[in-house]
Amino acid sequence: MGANLEGAHLSGADLWGAHLNIADLWGADLGGANLQGADLGGADLGGASLLKAYLNRIDLSTVKSFYKTKLDPDILSKIKTKWPEKLENR
């Protein structure tokens, strides 16, 4: 099992290259966080805030859930188009 970071306040954190695979990030505040190159495979980002987060070089297809996640419009559009099931109930 991954780390339990449910509800954590990580806004603006430098998480470049972090290993957050299968982490529970439900409701976490990751607004403005640098997540470039982070491993989010199997991570539950439901209810999290990723507004203005840096998501370059991340394979969003491996994230478990974006249910009720606050996302920038361009990222939300990409997820709706490619992986709409990740926006559904967890």
Side-chain angles (χ1 to χ4, degrees), residues 7 9 19 41 44 50-51 62-63 69 83-85:
H9 295 282
H19 296 283
D44 184 354
L50 291 170
L51 296 172
T62 64
V63 172
T69 302
W83 315 286
E85 69 280 0

Side-chain angles (χ1 to χ4, degrees), residues 41-62:
D44 184 354
L45 293 168
S49 176
L50 291 170
L51 296 172
K52 299 189 182 189
Y54 299 94
L55 300 172
N56 299 335
R57 298 190 337 241
I58 292 181
D59 184 359
L60 298 176
S61 71
T62 64

Side-chain angles (χ1 to χ4, degrees), residues 28-84:
D29 180 1
L30 294 159
N34 179 3
L35 292 164
Q36 294 183 78
D39 178 2
L40 295 174
D44 184 354
L45 293 168
S49 176
L50 291 170
L51 296 172
K52 299 189 182 189
Y54 299 94
L55 300 172
N56 299 335
R57 298 190 337 241
I58 292 181
D59 184 359
L60 298 176
S61 71
T62 64
V63 172
K64 178 180 178 182
S65 175
F66 288 105
Y67 177 66
K68 292 192 174 183
T69 302
K70 295 174 187 162
L71 298 158
D72 293 322
D74 57 329
I75 300 295
L76 179 58
S77 177
K78 180 178 181 178
I79 294 167
K80 280 183 178 179
T81 301
K82 294 186 175 190
W83 315 286

